[in-house]
Amino acid sequence: MSEQRSITVALVGNPNCGKTSIINKLAKSKDQVGNYPRVTVAVQQRITHHQGWEINLVDLPGVYALTTQTPEEAESRDYINARNADIIVNVLDAGNLERSLFLTTQLMEMGRPTIFLLNMIDEADKKKIKIDIKSLSSMLGGPVLTMNAISGNGMEELLDSVVTVAGQSTPPTPSFIQYDSHLEESVQRVQKHLHDLHPGEEMDDHQGRWLSIKLLEGDDALLRQEEEHAHLLELVRRERYDLSRDHGEECEMLFADARFGFVHGLVVEAVEVTPDANARLDMTRKLDTLLLHKVMGIPIFIAFLWLMFQTTFSIGEYPMDWIDAGVSIVSDALDDIIPPGMVHDLVIDGIIAGVGGTIIFLPNIVILFFFMAIFSETGYLTRAAFLMDRVMHTFGLHGKALIPLVMGFGCNVPAVMATRTIESDRSRLIAILVNPFMLCAARLPVFILFAGAFFAENAGTVVFGMYMLSIIMAMAASVFLNKILPQGAAEAFVMELPPYRLPTLRAVIVHMWDKALNFLQKIAGVILVGSIVIWFLQEFPKEINWSINYEQAITQLENEPATVERDQALHKLKLQQGQEALEKSYLGQVSHTVAPLLAPLEFTWKDTVAILTGFVAKEVVVASYAVLYSQGEEATEESDSLREVLAGTMSPLVAFSFMVFALLYAPCLATIAAIRREAGGWRWAGFSVVFSLTLAWTLAFSIVKVGHLLA
């Protein structure tokens, strides 16, 4: 135990047991939570203080076992086995105690000081489930506490217990599970051999017993770890063979049966379920009968999605106009205050145009994630995943890929990380590579801008259609990848359906605030920097080899008598000068170099600029258009907004083609980095970029050509 009054506490439990909510409550943090499994897929840490102790809270990924079958299981087990945590807090779902205790039996074998925390005790009370805490504590060999992570009841008791255990010179360790005599004899023989190999303090009794059990279970990672000890491995092989021969079952099944037997006996002894406990279950079944209906389930799901996008656009229109008006007021005020010059142009045409052109989409982001929070907190998001599972299998996607794909509607980066829950490397790789096709929140402003500019009367339906197209393209990409990647073994998939819950106001607000803050941080970071860079690239070089002497021509026209014809000629000449300045700027030169590749799609060099900047982050696409079209008379005198300016630059057909291209073309830099890390190298990150670019170009080209043929 640390002598510096600081301690590390790891929270371990099944997926969706409420670990992240507990840490949020203890540390006053706002990490993402949800009423679906595997919100946490990587180790996360938060700090809190209590009674003079600094407590480092570690949120380990939710797991059902401590094997190495999945990356999250391996990560949790390695963290505990390395003794990085001083105390383990085993979080159990009080309403589903029997299911939660299987993981507990494996934690007990690791012999670490453990506090057992029954979370969601309020739900157990509603179900009329009575738990004998004293009896449970006696059988588990450690303190048992109760908590409601939503209300915070039990929070002080948990922190008190952590400090108490931390202050003990000999902290309590959980009880051993006593296996039958044959298993125990095998464990002791292997344990004795291990002690001979690791004498003294290298390995204590708990470590030796745990390692012996895992070796007898045939744990691949630990068998490889001990491969230099040939006599040990031979002993393990013989013990496994003898146990399987004598009992007629695989050795690992014998241990699993013994653990389930321990759990069953513990539940019979300490848990009492009244007949009323089935009432809530009946309500869940009634709702599931409708929402998971084989015929009606998917249409209901699609109707919910349509309602979400239609509301996002129609209600969001009002605050968008307010923000747009506010940006115009700020721009006009700064236009009067800052004297003409480079600083004036940078602020008005660069920063205000870029940032102001993007921030107006904040209301849409907030409304969209209000609905996502409702779906998540009620438990419907997991049911949607269950519904789509059958469809996904048709396209060769693993059922566990659905939660990462749904998360991709928010951001592709955590969604790619969430594929860690998939055991099969092949299925996981496919899920990673199709995830960037899901329409993330960063792309949403692009579609809102284009839908409002070109399809104003059906804007909500068009945005809904883009979401549907993103799902279809992810499925189609999965079919293709299934054909080109070597086949693997078929895997079973059982999805846990959490109970329906009424979403709390705090959870919904935190979810919306988190997404809004993330959007504002991007505006203050990458979009602000991007707007400045784009402005500089289009302003320089200042020395331009003009095709004609504009100054002389303009002066000559201005000296002529004022007529309508003269004013029109003067206006046209100034526009021509501005256009030539843009085309000969650094930005124009780069874009003209790349533009031929996109010319078959009928995209202009300005569209090319927006696409190139989108490689950094998709939100910058809108900022790029805002900066580009803030130049010249076209944006300030003849138009009221970016949407109106943009509507005059291309046909609806080309606009739709651009939307499809923006939906599919290369992931942003952060997603590319996540793919490299999760897929195991730059090879697959590069493949993702080339694959998505090829698909985007081909589909956009087809839309333009077929559209012209049908026109």
Side-chain angles (χ1 to χ4, degrees):
M1 205 70 63
S2 170
E3 297 178 358
Q4 300 179 0
R5 299 183 69 79
S6 65
I7 191 168
T8 297
V9 178
L11 274 69
V12 186
N14 291 161
N16 205 33
C17 69
K19 293 183 288 83
T20 306
S21 296
I22 293 170
I23 288 188
N24 282 344
K25 209 70 178 178
L26 295 175
K28 296 180 174 56
S29 54
K30 296 176 182 176
D31 292 329
Q32 182 184 354
V33 297
N35 186 17
Y36 55 87
R38 297 183 172 88
V39 174
T40 305
V41 295
V43 174
Q44 298 181 18
Q45 302 190 35
R46 290 286 182 271
I47 299 288
T48 190
H49 296 84
H50 188 70
Q51 295 183 11
W53 286 80
E54 181 183 86
I55 303 174
N56 178 28
L57 300 165
V58 180
D59 189 4
L60 296 179
V63 293
Y64 292 108
L66 293 175
T67 66
T68 53
Q69 295 297 312
T70 67
E72 53 192 351
E73 287 180 0
E75 190 165 17
S76 293
R77 191 181 81 174
D78 291 347
Y79 187 91
I80 300 168
N81 192 37
R83 305 205 161 191
N84 292 322
D86 301 299
I87 296 175
I88 304 296
V89 172
N90 178 202
V91 182
L92 302 109
D93 181 349
N96 292 285
L97 197 56
E98 188 163 3
R99 183 201 64 187
S100 305
L101 284 168
F102 185 72
L103 173 65
T104 301
T105 60
Q106 297 171 74
L107 279 172
M108 292 165 67
E109 288 165 353
M110 300 188 80
R112 303 296 298 141
T114 304
I115 296 171
F116 302 95
L117 182 64
L118 305 182
N119 189 30
M120 295 182 270
I121 192 66
D122 56 319
E123 293 195 1
D125 292 339
K126 290 177 184 174
K127 292 179 180 178
K128 307 297 183 186
I129 297 175
K130 297 180 180 179
I131 302 174
D132 185 341
I133 302 297
K134 187 176 179 181
S135 176
L136 195 61
S137 175
S138 173
M139 287 184 280
L140 294 176
V144 176
L145 307 173
T146 61
M147 186 169 185
N148 177 356
I150 303 300
S151 66
N153 290 338
M155 185 173 70
E156 289 298 318
E157 290 81 357
L158 172 60
L159 291 173
D160 289 344
S161 183
V162 166
V163 168
T164 300
V165 173
Q168 294 174 340
S169 57
T170 307
T173 52
S175 307
F176 282 142
I177 296 175
Q178 197 67 31
Y179 297 107
D180 74 30
S181 57
H182 292 161
L183 285 174
E184 280 295 334
E185 289 168 6
S186 293
V187 170
Q188 289 171 16
R189 281 192 287 270
V190 175
Q191 188 175 355
K192 181 177 183 308
H193 199 103
L194 281 168
H195 277 302
D196 294 339
L197 292 172
H198 305 282
E201 297 182 354
E202 286 186 25
M203 183 178 293
D204 62 26
D205 287 343
H206 283 99
Q207 288 175 302
R209 180 178 174 83
W210 177 77
L211 182 55
S212 301
I213 293 171
K214 299 311 289 183
L215 290 174
L216 287 169
E217 286 183 311
D219 188 289
D220 291 336
L222 293 175
L223 287 171
R224 284 195 300 273
Q225 176 184 302
E226 299 292 333
E227 62 184 1
E228 62 181 17
H229 301 132
H231 291 295
L232 171 65
L233 296 187
E234 176 58 23
L235 173 62
V236 170
R237 189 195 65 76
R238 285 203 316 269
E239 295 291 346
R240 282 173 53 82
Y241 174 80
D242 290 343
L243 286 168
S244 298
R245 181 197 60 198
D246 294 344
H247 293 271
E249 280 191 294
E250 296 294 328
C251 196
E252 48 269 37
M253 291 304 299
L254 295 174
F255 280 104
D257 287 345
R259 291 183 185 121
F260 279 121
F262 174 83
V263 169
H264 181 67
L266 189 149
V267 169
V268 169
E269 188 73 23
V271 180
E272 180 184 350
V273 181
T274 66
D276 291 342
N278 293 323
R280 177 174 169 141
L281 186 60
D282 288 342
M283 180 58 71
T284 296
R285 284 174 179 163
K286 288 177 183 175
L287 285 172
D288 281 347
T289 300
L290 174 64
L291 297 177
L292 299 181
H293 192 273
K294 287 184 178 179
V295 177
M296 296 300 298
I298 290 182
I300 291 174
F301 172 53
I302 293 174
F304 280 149
L305 288 182
W306 182 86
L307 176 66
M308 176 174 72
F309 295 121
Q310 188 65 25
T311 306
T312 297
F313 202 91
S314 56
I315 294 182
E317 191 76 13
Y318 299 103
M320 282 178 71
D321 290 342
W322 300 337
I323 297 176
D324 199 15
V327 171
S328 297
I329 292 171
V330 172
S331 179
D332 291 342
L334 291 175
D335 191 29
D336 294 336
I337 295 171
I338 304 174
M342 187 173 293
V343 175
H344 172 277
D345 294 345
L346 170 62
V347 173
I348 303 300
D349 299 330
I351 296 174
I352 297 295
V355 172
T358 308
I359 199 171
I360 64 169
F361 299 105
L362 178 62
N364 305 96
I365 301 291
V366 172
I367 295 171
L368 177 70
F369 281 98
F370 165 77
F371 280 95
M372 293 297 286
I374 296 293
F375 290 161
S376 167
E377 293 297 320
T378 55
Y380 182 70
L381 191 61
T382 308
R383 272 135 182 113
F386 179 82
L387 276 171
M388 295 299 294
D389 177 53
R390 283 171 290 179
V391 179
M392 292 178 66
H393 276 293
T394 306
F395 293 94
L397 268 172
H398 193 284
K400 287 184 180 177
L402 193 61
I403 290 294
L405 290 182
V406 173
M407 290 176 69
F409 284 142
C411 179
N412 292 146
V413 174
V416 168
M417 292 176 64
T419 59
R420 294 178 181 182
T421 57
I422 303 172
E423 292 87 350
S424 162
D425 290 341
R426 181 178 183 276
S427 299
R428 185 163 176 259
L429 179 61
I430 293 174
I432 289 171
L433 293 176
V434 304
N435 209 295
F437 295 125
M438 302 305 288
L439 199 163
C440 64
R443 294 183 177 102
L444 185 59
V446 181
F447 300 123
I448 293 174
L449 171 65
F450 272 70
F454 296 95
F455 313 99
E457 293 184 359
N458 301 294
T461 303
V462 170
V463 175
F464 167 72
M466 295 309 297
Y467 273 88
M468 291 297 102
L469 181 62
S470 76
I471 296 172
I472 292 170
M473 294 313 299
M475 299 296 114
S478 173
V479 172
F480 173 76
L481 292 169
N482 264 291
K483 290 185 180 300
I484 66 170
L485 293 175
Q487 292 295 318
E491 298 169 70
F493 168 50
V494 178
M495 176 172 283
E496 176 191 345
L497 295 179
Y500 287 106
R501 295 189 180 115
L502 284 175
T504 64
L505 181 63
R506 182 181 185 280
V508 173
I509 291 176
V510 166
H511 194 86
M512 293 164 61
W513 169 250
D514 184 53
K515 298 303 177 186
L517 185 63
N518 183 263
F519 185 67
L520 291 173
Q521 286 171 338
K522 286 190 175 182
I523 287 178
V526 65
I527 291 175
L528 175 61
V529 173
S531 300
I532 294 173
V533 170
I534 293 167
W535 180 84
F536 269 103
L537 288 175
Q538 73 173 17
E539 281 294 307
F540 292 91
K542 288 294 186 184
E543 298 298 326
I544 295 176
N545 185 20
W546 300 104
S547 58
I548 63 173
N549 189 334
Y550 286 103
E551 295 300 326
Q552 183 180 357
I554 290 172
T555 303
Q556 187 176 344
L557 279 174
E558 288 176 340
N559 290 333
E560 293 180 2
T563 61
V564 174
E565 290 75 14
R566 188 212 68 161
D567 291 343
Q568 289 177 343
L570 192 60
H571 174 66
K572 183 178 179 182
L573 193 60
K574 288 182 178 178
L575 281 179
Q576 185 179 338
Q577 183 185 23
Q579 187 69 20
E580 186 171 344
L582 272 174
E583 292 190 19
K584 292 184 176 179
S585 66
Y586 292 129
L587 190 63
Q589 293 174 37
V590 172
S591 299
H592 277 296
T593 303
V594 180
L597 295 174
L598 301 176
L601 312 183
E602 302 186 16
F603 296 165
T604 67
W605 70 271
K606 290 184 177 179
D607 302 323
T608 305
V609 171
I611 289 169
L612 290 176
T613 55
F615 276 98
V616 179
K618 294 298 181 276
E619 300 96 328
V620 187
V621 171
V622 174
S624 301
Y625 274 121
V627 174
L628 286 169
Y629 289 113
S630 72
Q631 303 295 303
E633 300 294 324
E634 58 192 275
T636 57
E637 292 183 11
E638 297 179 1
S639 304
D640 294 325
S641 70
L642 177 59
R643 276 180 289 181
E644 293 182 15
V645 175
L646 193 62
T649 64
M650 62 179 79
S651 67
L653 175 63
V654 176
F656 181 65
S657 171
F658 184 90
M659 292 170 75
V660 171
F661 189 89
L663 171 68
L664 302 175
Y665 88 102
C668 67
L669 290 182
T671 304
I672 292 173
I675 293 173
R676 183 201 66 78
R677 184 173 61 250
E678 299 300 325
W682 284 111
R683 180 171 61 117
W684 289 113
F687 175 85
S688 176
V689 173
V690 173
F691 179 45
S692 56
L693 272 173
T694 304
L695 192 61
W697 194 96
T698 304
L699 196 56
F701 180 77
S702 302
I703 289 170
V704 171
K705 294 305 175 188
V706 172
H708 284 314
L709 286 175
L710 296 177

